[in-house]
Amino acid sequence: MRKSSGGIRANGRFAFILFAFFAAFALMFGRVLYMKVVHGAEYEAAAKNQQINRYDITIPPNRGSILDRNNQVLAISTTVYNVALDSLQLAEVAELSPEEQEKTLTTLCEYFPELDYNILKQYVTINPETGELYMNNHWKYLVKGIERSVKEELEAMNLKGVYFEKSSKRSYPLNSSACHLVGFTRGDAQWGLEGYYNSYMEGTPGRSFILYNGADSVVHQDYDAKDGDTIITTIDYNIQKIAEEVVAETAAEWSAKNVAAMVMDPYTGEVYAMAESHSFDLNNPNEIPEWETDTKYTENWDQLSSEEQLEYLNTMWKNFCVSDTYEPGSIFKPMLVAAALEEGVITPNSSFQCNGYTDIGGYRIKCHLVSGHGNINVEQIMAQSCNMGVIQIANLLGADKFYEYQREFGFGDYTGIDLPGEAAGQLHSKESIGPTELATMSFGQTFNCTSIQVIAAFSSLINGGNLVKPHVVSQIVDADGNVVLENDTEVVRRVISEKTSAYMRTALKATVENGLAKKLQIDGYSIGCKTGTAEQGSRTNDDLWALSNMSYFPAENPKYIVFTVINQPSDYVEGVQTPTPMTKKLIEGIIKYDNLEPTQPVEDEANLSQNKTVTVADYTDSVIFDVIGDLDGKELTYKVVGNGNTVVNQVPKGGTTVDVGSEVILYVQRSEEDTGTVSVPNVVGKNYEQAETTLTNAGFTVAFEGDQSGTVTAQDPKYGVSVAKGSEVMLTLEIPEKTDTSTDTTGTQTTQ
């Protein structure tokens, strides 16, 4: 009985366990069945999508191009490809065909020497510690930016585990041309036009991915990228190139903080050229440029902190023409004259007295011609750049009106040019303008402006009186040629009347015809001009200057306005560094390129001085360079006696009337500023060998232009000017068809 009872209890326990097992199994089976029937399709699709979502690729668009006005490419984006490796797939390939894996690895290293075979091999090798591949993923970038032809060659080899991602590469075919204007793009940072018009050029990305279609198959989906819009600029590459050449030549000759040139249409505000020194390669903007000589950057770049490196690069990338401010100097004088004419406080026939200086507010303010210009009219004030004349005109105009016109001409405000980083400049407040401030502002000192401000303001003087908004982009077009944006001529406001503007156009010709810019004369072409020499910063330092030249042509109906500036030249010597030669070369280049017809007959030089007389000024205490410029303007010859830059006596005396072509003898001596300087000898009329010997013996270096087998027809600096020993003297050599000059026994050039 006991045995029977124990067997029953054992069988019961077994039956219970069996029941529990089947119950649990039934529950699990029911759950699986539920999930399969109710959510099976959803989970299956999710699993498959998870497996294939690694193929979801963004296709970058081609960035819109930047073109000049004649469709010369300044910036362009091209399609390139990134090479990626699927190490998981390549590892699986090795199990079936080790040769295929080896083919992939060796071919990649053959095409791209920068890849290391051993590293690639490790990617598809099992890590013994983890039991997984060292590179346990489906996507590893190997090389970026390969050309389409290379991609197609590799595709033809059917390499396993290799994929190609479409991308875009930005390039600048002209390297450094218009670099500060065009700008560049690197990651999220854009400079120049690249930054200003980024939203138009960036385009819309595309997408390439794989989807599960619910029927045990996958489909590829591709959405093409929409390329960015094309920027058509107002820049003329040919004029830009000429401007860059003259800027580079000037910067090489005279070291300066900045050398720049701009060319613009004064009526429309279209900028044809914007060039400056310190250019850089747009394709490699982080590289130290060839012009840099400071060993701090050329040899010790890696020792600099990232902040120091960035500061240097930002300075190099910055657009001087729109971002840097300086005191404009005498190029502002015509704007004051125009304002006074407009308000009726002067007329073109008004005359003023210049004694060489005036005392205002406890300060003695001098004219550049210390002996004074004497009685001088409005046209002569601008041609000879007389400080005393404009001070008197400013007093007649008054501080309130002066300030009003200063603002009307656009100073102290943004021009609105379509470039980033524009500065507004800085003016005195109206309330702070006292007698001294009014006097100094009259000749362009004690306030700041940008180059783009001053060329826009000056344009209003000669275009009929309208302040026009400058711009560097004319149109933006999409891929189908539709115009997305168009920048038409925008008149900000009328500043002066057409009558005043017409007078200014004509009056400023005198600066070239018989004023301080006589070297700018080009036979057959009418040119208007104003020069400027402005001291910068603290007046306790006499070594910071901005030298400028604003010219326009043809003067009667200007097609081009040209602005050149040498900002803060090193070792400045008055009369040696000047932007006039670069301006002339730039204008000559534009005339030749545009095939401009002469606007006036070429005069017979033999008859220029017939029956003409001129009054000799009193040059006592004046700087010899200024005197020579004045004598050139009056077509007088000269002889210098002594050494130094300060005139202490002259024959004939000031106030004497003489025939054009007469000789003035200037007696000079050294001043405190002349220490260590040497007087330049006269070599005009000599052959090159004679001139070189004379100048070398005197302690100068020699450069020349023209035919070396000819004779010297001009020299710069002119003889009699005292400059630092070792300075360069530029000689102009020509082979004359007919001798027009002779040299007397004193070495003075005289006209026959």
Side-chain angles (χ1 to χ4, degrees):
M1 294 295 292
R2 290 175 182 158
K3 290 182 180 179
S4 176
S5 176
I8 292 173
R9 284 196 298 271
N11 289 336
R13 283 196 297 271
F14 178 76
F16 177 78
I17 292 172
L18 187 62
F19 172 78
F21 172 77
F22 279 110
F25 179 79
L27 182 62
M28 292 175 64
F29 180 78
R31 179 64 178 171
V32 170
L33 184 64
Y34 170 79
M35 293 176 68
K36 176 67 176 176
V37 173
V38 178
H39 297 289
E42 176 185 346
Y43 291 155
E44 185 176 359
K48 290 184 177 181
N49 280 333
Q50 187 176 16
Q51 294 175 12
I52 62 177
N53 65 6
R54 57 188 169 88
Y55 295 104
D56 190 348
I57 299 171
T58 299
I59 302 174
N62 275 332
R63 190 173 177 84
S65 298
I66 302 177
L67 311 177
D68 89 331
R69 66 191 304 114
N70 301 312
N71 293 323
Q72 166 67 51
V73 176
L74 303 176
I76 191 171
S77 289
T78 54
T79 298
V80 293
Y81 297 87
N82 301 326
V83 182
L85 179 70
D86 186 337
S87 55
L88 287 172
Q89 185 190 58
L90 194 56
E92 293 172 1
V93 167
E95 296 179 6
L96 301 175
S97 176
E99 295 80 10
E100 288 292 335
Q101 185 190 80
E102 186 66 18
K103 176 185 175 182
T104 294
L105 298 180
T106 55
T107 302
L108 287 173
C109 291
E110 178 185 343
Y111 270 78
F112 309 111
E114 65 269 28
L115 298 179
D116 188 309
Y117 174 86
N118 294 325
I119 294 177
L120 294 182
K121 184 67 175 178
Q122 186 183 40
Y123 289 165
V124 294
T125 302
I126 299 294
N127 184 341
E129 295 181 1
T130 63
E132 298 180 345
L133 295 178
Y134 279 99
M135 184 59 66
N136 191 35
N137 59 41
H138 290 282
W139 198 266
K140 168 65 177 177
Y141 285 111
L142 297 181
V143 182
K144 292 188 176 184
I146 70 170
E147 301 298 326
R148 180 177 178 179
S149 59
V150 177
K151 174 243 187 187
E152 290 177 346
E153 287 181 23
L154 292 171
E155 279 184 327
M157 297 179 186
N158 194 27
L159 302 177
K160 305 301 181 184
V162 176
Y163 295 92
F164 301 94
E165 178 188 62
K166 187 177 180 182
S167 186
S168 182
K169 178 183 178 182
R170 194 65 163 173
S171 60
Y172 305 89
L174 302 179
N175 298 318
S176 62
S177 186
C179 56
H180 296 95
L181 182 144
V182 173
F184 61 91
T185 177
R186 285 291 184 277
D188 295 330
Q190 293 95 21
W191 288 73
L193 288 176
E194 292 277 29
Y196 195 89
Y197 287 103
N198 177 63
S199 61
Y200 289 93
M201 287 187 284
E202 63 183 353
T204 305
R207 187 180 175 197
S208 178
F209 56 97
I210 300 174
L211 286 177
Y212 172 63
N213 67 1
D216 292 328
S217 62
V218 295
V219 292
H220 288 266
Q221 291 287 338
D222 292 305
Y223 293 94
D224 293 334
K226 180 184 177 183
D227 291 343
D229 299 328
T230 295
I231 305 295
I232 301 175
T233 70
T234 61
I235 297 299
D236 188 314
Y237 168 65
N238 294 287
I239 298 178
Q240 177 73 25
K241 185 178 180 181
I242 299 168
E244 288 174 348
E245 288 173 352
V246 300
V247 164
E249 290 173 5
T250 304
E253 184 176 3
W254 297 315
S255 174
K257 185 176 181 181
N258 302 98
V259 179
M262 283 192 294
V263 184
M264 194 172 81
D265 184 328
Y267 288 92
T268 66
E270 293 176 88
V271 177
Y272 295 123
M274 185 179 286
E276 64 177 274
S277 55
H278 303 165
S279 61
F280 58 93
D281 186 351
L282 289 169
N283 294 299
N284 300 288
N286 291 335
E287 287 189 356
I288 303 300
E290 293 182 359
W291 51 258
E292 183 58 74
T293 58
D294 192 335
T295 56
K296 176 181 179 181
Y297 305 110
T298 58
E299 297 179 8
N300 302 312
W301 180 256
D302 293 337
Q303 281 70 53
L304 299 178
S305 67
S306 57
E307 291 79 10
E308 289 174 315
Q309 291 179 348
L310 186 59
E311 181 182 2
Y312 174 86
L313 293 172
N314 283 339
T315 301
M316 181 175 68
W317 296 336
K318 185 172 61 171
N319 189 331
F320 166 78
C321 293
V322 302
S323 299
D324 281 26
T325 63
Y326 51 90
E327 296 176 66
S330 296
I331 50 175
F332 178 78
K333 291 175 180 176
M335 289 164 239
L336 168 61
V337 170
L341 289 168
E342 196 70 16
E343 290 300 310
V345 297
I346 64 170
T347 71
N349 297 319
S350 298
S351 62
F352 301 87
Q353 187 68 31
C354 171
N355 297 319
Y357 69 91
T358 185
D359 293 320
I360 299 177
Y363 296 94
R364 172 157 292 189
I365 300 175
K366 297 179 180 180
C367 190
H368 71 89
L369 189 62
V370 179
S371 59
H373 291 98
N375 189 267
I376 189 168
N377 63 30
V378 174
E379 182 179 288
Q380 292 169 336
I381 285 173
M382 293 186 289
Q384 302 300 327
S385 202
C386 176
N387 286 352
M388 299 305 104
V390 291
I391 289 174
Q392 294 170 67
I393 292 174
N395 287 331
L396 291 174
L397 185 63
D400 288 350
K401 280 296 179 180
F402 183 99
Y403 180 81
E404 178 184 323
Y405 274 94
Q406 197 177 34
R407 301 290 304 198
E408 284 290 295
F409 278 112
F411 293 98
D413 198 3
Y414 302 102
T415 67
I417 189 172
D418 46 347
L419 284 171
E422 184 183 7
Q426 190 172 15
L427 306 180
H428 286 287
S429 65
K430 185 192 295 188
E431 296 73 23
S432 67
I433 301 176
T436 304
E437 289 76 21
L438 183 61
T440 55
M441 285 193 298
S442 71
F443 48 86
Q445 300 273 196
T446 68
F447 68 91
N448 288 351
C449 68
T450 62
S451 297
I452 195 64
Q453 277 179 330
V454 76
I455 196 173
F458 208 98
S459 293
S460 67
L461 291 178
I462 61 174
N463 69 8
N466 295 319
L467 182 65
V468 179
K469 179 181 176 180
H471 59 281
V472 295
V473 169
S474 59
Q475 284 186 333
I476 300 179
V477 297
D478 63 18
D480 298 321
N482 301 311
V483 177
V484 177
L485 175 71
E486 188 159 16
N487 287 330
D488 294 322
T489 299
E490 181 180 338
V491 176
V492 179
R493 56 183 166 267
R494 175 173 284 278
V495 184
I496 58 174
S497 65
E498 170 58 44
K499 179 182 178 181
T500 301
S501 178
Y503 168 76
M504 297 303 297
R505 281 196 299 271
T506 302
L508 288 168
K509 291 167 56 179
T511 309
V512 178
E513 293 171 351
N514 50 42
L516 297 183
K518 192 173 180 182
K519 287 184 178 180
L520 199 60
Q521 289 182 355
I522 300 175
D523 284 347
Y525 295 90
S526 175
I527 302 171
C529 172
K530 184 68 192 80
T531 60
T533 303
E535 194 171 3
Q536 305 295 303
S538 172
R539 298 305 186 254
T540 59
N541 296 325
D542 193 27
D543 58 353
L544 300 178
W545 298 82
L547 320 174
S548 57
N549 184 300
M550 187 77 74
S551 299
Y552 57 92
F553 63 100
E556 293 74 19
N557 185 26
K559 185 175 182 180
Y560 298 100
I561 184 168
V562 174
F563 180 57
T564 57
V565 59
I566 303 174
N567 184 39
Q568 297 186 28
S570 304
D571 302 320
Y572 172 64
V573 177
E574 188 173 6
V576 176
Q577 294 97 332
T578 168
T580 300
M582 66 183 289
T583 305
K584 182 176 182 179
K585 187 172 289 187
L586 178 51
I587 293 175
E588 288 174 332
I590 296 172
I591 289 173
K592 183 177 180 180
Y593 162 66
D594 203 15
N595 198 25
L596 291 177
E597 294 292 331
T599 55
Q600 58 189 23
V602 178
E603 293 186 83
D604 182 358
E605 293 186 5
N607 296 323
L608 283 178
S609 61
Q610 276 188 339
N611 302 320
K612 289 185 179 180
T613 60
V614 66
T615 301
V616 179
D618 181 3
Y619 299 119
T620 306
D621 295 327
S622 296
V623 177
I624 185 66
F625 173 77
D626 294 328
V627 173
I628 291 173
D630 192 60
L631 292 172
D632 281 343
K634 294 176 178 177
E635 300 181 59
L636 296 173
T637 61
Y638 65 94
K639 180 170 70 176
V640 178
V641 179
N643 288 307
N645 275 330
T646 303
V647 178
V648 294
N649 201 357
Q650 68 182 76
V651 177
K653 295 293 186 183
T656 304
T657 299
V658 299
D659 291 333
V660 167
S662 298
E663 180 182 80
V664 177
I665 301 174
L666 304 169
Y667 296 88
V668 298
Q669 67 180 23
R670 294 180 184 276
S671 64
E672 293 180 359
E673 291 78 17
D674 290 339
T675 304
T677 61
V678 181
S679 180
V680 179
N682 181 25
V683 294
V684 173
K686 299 179 184 291
N687 61 34
Y688 178 75
E689 185 177 350
Q690 293 170 331
E692 183 184 38
T693 300
T694 301
L695 291 168
T696 302
N697 290 340
F700 298 98
T701 60
V702 180
F704 74 94
E705 57 185 9
D707 194 327
Q708 194 172 358
S709 62
T711 57
V712 179
T713 58
Q715 66 180 77
D716 188 17
K718 290 195 171 186
Y719 93 90
V721 176
S722 291
V723 297
K725 196 168 186 177
S727 297
E728 180 183 89
V729 178
M730 174 62 73
L731 306 178
T732 301
L733 294 158
E734 297 178 2
I735 300 178
E737 296 180 3
K738 181 180 179 180
T739 303
D740 293 324
T741 61
S742 64
T743 304
D744 63 16
T745 55
T746 63
T748 304
Q749 180 178 303
T750 57
T751 302
Q752 300 296 311

